[in-house]
Amino acid sequence: MSGYDDQNTFARILRGEIPCDIVYENEHALAFFDINPQAPVHILVVPKGSYISIQDFTQTASAAEVEGFWAAVGEAARVDPLIDRGFRIVSNSGSDAHQEVPHFHVHILGGRPLGPILNKYRDVFDSN
Ligand code: 5GP
């Protein structure tokens, strides 16, 4: 992908340069625990290819990569207690969503009642 920063944190995790606590891995995706969890269970799932956004991913990844990525999201969300209690999947894209790491990823959050869907930046929304 043109414009992809191969020094971003998730690229470095995928190359093994930064350690992570792996939840699930397949040929096309890696799932690991977020370093700054926003819920008792907070998992990130990233494709192994170099994609900044879901648009890059769905337009340029192979069907096998797309299938493998979403299969990994489903497998990662089997971790206890998400299956029993429920969970939320979120993906931040671009500046309005406060995407911090420019490598496409989804967050899987759970382990407690999660409140309103947009509560992470409620102060931002309330002031607009
Ligand atoms: P974004 O705001 O881009 O959707 O989310 C990026 C996420 O990556 C944040 O939740 C942040 O805590 C997480 N993160 C940033 N650096 C690291 C790291 O080095 N290791 C892990 N496991 N997570 C990270």
Side-chain angles (χ1 to χ4, degrees):
M1 165 65 200
S2 107
Y4 180 82
D5 171 15
D6 66 6
Q7 293 304 310
N8 80 73
T9 299
F10 297 164
R12 298 188 64 205
I13 285 175
L14 286 164
R15 290 196 297 268
E17 296 169 6
I18 296 174
C20 71
D21 191 357
I22 294 176
V23 175
Y24 178 82
E25 182 172 11
N26 67 21
E27 184 181 353
H28 297 296
L30 181 68
F32 51 94
F33 288 108
D34 195 293
I35 202 169
N36 182 25
Q38 302 300 308
V41 179
H42 186 168
I43 296 167
L44 300 166
V45 190
V46 307
K48 290 187 175 178
S50 302
Y51 306 105
I52 298 173
S53 68
I54 192 165
Q55 283 79 16
D56 302 332
F57 183 58
T58 54
Q59 286 171 4
T60 58
S62 68
E65 286 176 279
V66 175
E67 180 180 345
F69 173 78
W70 290 110
V73 174
E75 290 302 320
R78 290 184 192 281
V79 77
D80 197 45
L82 301 189
I83 284 285
D84 292 336
R85 292 184 54 122
F87 55 90
R88 180 172 294 154
I89 295 174
V90 173
S91 185
N92 296 316
S93 183
S95 57
D96 272 4
H98 300 262
Q99 181 180 4
E100 293 167 15
V101 180
H103 179 115
F104 170 56
H105 55 282
V106 302
H107 301 250
I108 304 171
L109 299 141
R112 66 164 166 79
L114 294 168
I117 194 166
L118 293 178
N119 61 350
K120 182 176 176 188
Y121 296 107
R122 184 181 296 162
D123 55 335
V124 175
F125 291 106
D126 285 352
S127 67
N128 287 329

